[in-house]
Amino acid sequence: MVILSENDKQLILDLAVNKIEIDDFYDRYSVNISDDHSYVLRMLELTEQAQDAETIEYLTYLRGYHRDVEPKHIHCEIFRRLLLEEWHHSHEYMIDALWFEKDTAAIPVLVQRALGTLPQLDELDDASLRKRSVYAIAKIGGDSAIEALKDLAERGSKQVRETAQKCIQDIQNDAKYLRS
């Protein structure tokens, strides 16, 4: 099943590298998505079902540009699911999107990623994603994030423990600064 045509993919890439403006993109895209508040979500769901790693990447680019039409928070649930999958290579984007949206429901999944209890990626990517997951938890913030960081500071790998401890220290320093 073809989710995005080759022309639509090229338009997304052209938009991503600033070859075209967003209005031109909307005029030339095969579907009128300028007023469609759930287009990217529907396409992400189809892509997840098809396990189409290439299309996931195009849709993450499109999501960034389609922000004025489609509320980003509607993607959090699918991003949490995709973070658990190993068939694509967009984990870093998923982590960033979840922290940007301050999705507290993502904290348990991010803890799993930080602890390495999710499907293994190659060693360098996995180490980077573990550390990025810890930072994402800290950026999401709140009591559940602090509890998760304390947990990671005790039982993660050495790199995860050190990152979690640094995040806890930064949060404490920020709190002291705000009180003064």
Side-chain angles (χ1 to χ4, degrees):
M1 167 170 72
V2 175
I3 298 168
L4 294 176
S5 70
E6 291 303 315
N7 184 61
D8 286 348
K9 289 177 183 178
Q10 187 60 53
L11 284 170
I12 292 168
L13 287 179
D14 289 348
L15 183 64
V17 297
N18 296 317
K19 278 188 169 181
I20 60 173
E21 297 292 323
I22 190 73
D23 291 336
D24 190 28
F25 171 83
Y26 285 140
D27 289 342
R28 296 171 52 195
Y29 198 73
S30 66
V31 178
N32 179 5
I33 63 171
S34 61
D35 295 323
D36 188 338
H37 299 287
S38 61
Y39 173 80
V40 174
L41 177 63
R42 289 193 317 275
M43 295 303 103
L44 281 167
E45 288 170 342
L46 289 173
T47 303
E48 179 186 27
Q49 290 169 5
Q51 294 192 353
D52 182 346
E54 178 187 5
T55 301
I56 285 281
E57 293 195 30
Y58 285 100
L59 290 169
T60 58
Y61 290 136
L62 181 57
R63 176 186 177 265
Y65 290 94
H66 199 52
R67 66 181 162 261
D68 295 335
V69 176
E70 191 166 332
K72 289 184 179 181
H73 69 273
I74 68 173
H75 303 111
C76 290
E77 182 179 342
I78 195 167
F79 287 164
R80 289 190 303 267
R81 290 194 311 264
L82 288 169
L83 192 54
L84 299 171
E85 298 293 337
E86 61 183 311
W87 54 263
H88 66 87
H89 304 286
S90 298
H91 299 91
E92 187 174 299
Y93 181 88
M94 305 303 158
I95 292 168
D96 290 352
L98 291 166
W99 77 252
F100 183 79
E101 293 301 320
K102 305 254 185 237
D103 182 29
T104 56
I107 291 172
V109 176
L110 291 165
V111 167
Q112 287 180 319
R113 178 58 74 194
L115 291 174
T117 57
L118 298 176
Q120 288 295 98
L121 305 171
D122 74 52
E123 193 172 319
L124 286 176
D125 281 347
D126 193 53
S128 173
L129 288 175
R130 287 178 191 217
K131 191 172 181 178
R132 190 176 207 97
S133 295
V134 176
Y135 283 123
I137 292 166
K139 289 177 182 181
I140 289 170
D143 293 340
S144 58
I146 291 172
E147 289 304 313
L149 291 170
K150 288 177 180 176
D151 180 43
L152 291 171
E154 292 180 9
R155 66 183 187 117
S157 67
K158 181 179 184 215
Q159 183 183 37
V160 166
R161 287 192 315 269
E162 290 172 355
T163 304
Q165 289 165 357
K166 180 187 181 322
C167 288
I168 292 167
Q169 185 64 47
D170 290 348
I171 290 168
Q172 290 170 341
N173 289 341
D174 287 347
K176 287 177 189 173
Y177 174 78
L178 290 174
R179 285 192 298 259
S180 61

